[in-house]
Amino acid sequence: MTRHDIPWLSAAETAVAIKTKQVSPVEVVQAYLARIEQFDGQLHAYITVMREEALAAARQAEQTVLRGGDVGPLFGVPVAVKDQFWTRGILTTNGSRVYRDFVPDADATVITRLQQAGTILLGKLNLSELAMGGTQEPPWGIPRNPWDRERTPGESSSGSGVALAAHLCAASVGEDTGGSGRSPASYCSAVGLRPTCTRVSRYGMTPMCWYLDTAAPMTKTVQDCALILGAIAGYDPRDPFTSRRPVPDYTARFGRGLRGIRLGLIRELDEDAGMHPEVKQAIHNAVEVLRQQGAEVHEVSIPLVALAGAIFVGVADTEGAGARDDVLRTRAAELDRASRTRLQAAALVPAKVYNRALKARVLLRQQFLEALRHVDVLVSATAPAPPPKHTALTAPFVNADDVRSRFFFRRAYTGCYALTALPAISIPGGFTTDNLPIGLQLGARPFAEELLLGVAHAYEQATPWHTRRAPGIEE
Amino acid sequence: MALSKEERCRELAQLVGIPLMEAEVAEVAERFESLMRELERLTQLDLAHIQPVLVFPEEEAQL
């Protein structure tokens, strides 16, 4: 194996190559650093590259391998995280000028657990300001989608999507408040998981909306996603809301087929008039692939899902504005214009309206749980259309219908799982005729990540999408 | 006389102590009106017996 082969490996394959001494951890880190050097100036995936720290950790890992030490399934794997996770002694910007000098004195629990699993932190990844989305002038550069650099890589874990699509890290952890992990996964043809809300500690993850935020494993393959989730999940006394349930082997269902699994295609999303025809066709094709593997396919109705985007914005933005009150009062000028005006507008929402949105969220959860009494896994697109151009995201809204379709409705697809605190995953589900990625989204009942990953893995193994490479990223 | 969108926005912002940039008042007002218009649709729902909990009990995972 040569240095040039390394970045095309999955995280799991990389760990095996290290364990079997086909490559050393130092060679692996050097290979990724070389690619970052070559491509990141154009793509803007990274805010901070931790070159010296990564090389030092790799040298230490190399000694462990040479000693015949205990190495796990992620040992020596170079990972990069959204710059929303605190890293002790390392700049943590949250994508905002407000935090341009913020150097935490503690690591997020996710960082600690990634290190305990033997991964090597390559750096901190670009994101939309304060993990919100819609940033017009990102202070650390516009993250470019490797599949088409004029298009968005998705928000807000934009750098994670870019880094995976361009093979600038072996795996990543982003964050998902309303789709911030799954949207970039969908737009960049990667895997992005939103776990059950209390599955992974949020300690040291700068909040957007504290009761919706989750860490989000983002990877090249479903197997990698299962391994990363296994490494970071579990109770943490520093986040008292984390579940005390044991962490299972998330790969346990791999290879077991789909016989007996009941799938539910969400009617209201499938029949959305605004859905791009090629996206709709790709989802129907995906359902057929799953059916051929033994799954039963049903249609389910979740009437309130069409309003999930509005409920999400009403809940998350209003909570986010409250949490940023000090910034809005004293440092608003340092925010990007889009973040500033969005938070300012949300700060004006009356309490009774926020309360109504919170209640609607609970009703939406009831409807999802009812649907999940009849099926095991819910199916939809992750986004109703392929990645839009950067300019389409920042263009002024022309009327109420434009606001509804561009701002609220697209958030329904991913926001519904965030609001309902259910796990959901986006996996590569095909490409348009223009070679733009399409995401397939699967959702399940609370703590059913093992099932979700099993179904995702079965689909991935039956399709070629995860093997396709973005144009212009060969060395 | 009814307040314009911008005047209403200025007034609310003053009440909650959020300073707005004059050049951006129209944009904030448009965003606020859009949000309120969307959330108005929730008034059609029967939410009388629902508690607005933030974190759901783990027992609900047992279906």
Side-chain angles (χ1 to χ4, degrees), chain A residues 382-415:
Chain A
T382 311
K389 295 200 168 179
H390 291 285
T391 46
L393 287 184
T394 53
F397 295 114
V398 294
N399 56 39
D401 286 342
D402 189 34
V403 176
R404 183 166 293 169
S405 65
R406 283 174 48 202
F407 190 69
F408 292 106
F409 193 72
R410 70 181 174 86
R411 285 178 162 79
Y413 284 75
T414 50

Side-chain angles (χ1 to χ4, degrees), chain A residues 134-346:
Chain A
T135 312
Q136 291 178 340
E137 294 176 14
W140 289 273
I142 297 173
R144 301 282 176 186
N145 190 328
W147 293 94
D148 179 342
R149 295 179 188 195
E150 295 305 311
R151 292 178 189 270
T152 175
E155 301 172 317
S156 65
S157 306
S158 318
S160 299
V162 176
L164 290 164
H167 296 265
L168 305 183
C169 65
S172 178
V173 179
E175 179 272 346
D176 191 312
T177 301
S180 288
R182 289 162 289 150
S183 164
S186 170
Y187 287 171
C188 293
S189 198
V191 176
L193 173 71
R194 176 187 173 86
T196 305
C197 217
T198 54
R199 187 69 285 193
V200 180
S201 171
R202 292 159 304 159
Y203 174 78
M205 190 174 79
T206 303
M208 158 59 185
C209 175
W210 72 268
Y211 52 86
L212 299 182
D213 300 338
T214 62
M218 296 177 66
T219 55
K220 299 177 187 178
T221 68
V222 174
Q223 182 187 18
D224 290 354
C225 188
L227 294 175
I228 293 284
L229 178 63
I232 64 176
Y235 178 71
D236 176 14
R238 289 180 296 182
D239 178 356
F241 287 100
T242 43
S243 173
R244 291 178 182 269
R245 285 169 176 250
V247 176
D249 172 5
Y250 289 113
T251 66
R253 289 190 66 95
F254 288 6
R256 283 170 47 181
L258 300 181
R259 195 155 305 282
I261 302 292
R262 300 165 301 170
L263 302 180
L265 185 63
I266 302 176
R267 182 189 304 151
E268 288 78 7
L269 296 181
D270 187 53
E271 293 179 352
D272 168 20
M275 185 183 280
H276 190 286
E278 289 190 75
V279 173
K280 184 167 184 164
Q281 187 59 53
I283 301 310
H284 287 199
N285 293 345
V287 166
E288 194 50 39
V289 168
L290 294 164
R291 192 200 308 268
Q292 284 167 8
Q293 294 187 68
E296 294 172 24
V297 179
H298 304 267
E299 191 176 80
V300 296
S301 175
I302 302 176
L304 201 48
V305 76
L307 283 179
I311 301 170
F312 174 79
V313 177
V315 166
D317 284 29
T318 309
E319 175 64 31
R324 302 283 175 208
D325 184 60
D326 56 336
V327 174
L328 291 178
R329 285 172 189 273
T330 61
R331 301 181 66 181
E334 295 170 64
L335 294 171
D336 179 78
R337 178 177 176 140
S339 315
R340 180 172 56 244
T341 54
R342 183 173 159 187
L343 284 173
Q344 286 171 335

Side-chain angles (χ1 to χ4, degrees), chain A residues 243 245 307 310 313 329 337 340-341 344-345 348 353 355-356 359 361-362 365 400 404 408 445-446, chain B residues 16-17 19-20 24 27-28 31-32 35 37-39 41 43 50-54 56 58 60 62-63:
Chain A
S243 173
R245 285 169 176 250
L307 283 179
V313 177
R329 285 172 189 273
R337 178 177 176 140
R340 180 172 56 244
T341 54
Q344 286 171 335
L348 310 183
V353 177
N355 180 267
R356 190 183 301 140
K359 288 182 171 183
R361 172 186 179 232
V362 177
R365 174 159 159 115
R404 183 166 293 169
F408 292 106
R445 60 181 66 98
Chain B
V16 299
L20 303 181
E24 294 175 359
E27 186 175 332
V28 175
R31 283 181 179 271
F32 177 66
L35 180 55
R37 199 162 41 233
E38 284 300 306
L39 293 174
R41 299 164 76 193
T43 57
I50 291 179
Q51 293 298 318
V53 296
L54 301 184
F56 298 107
E58 203 159 300
E60 284 187 1
Q62 316 298 330
L63 291 177

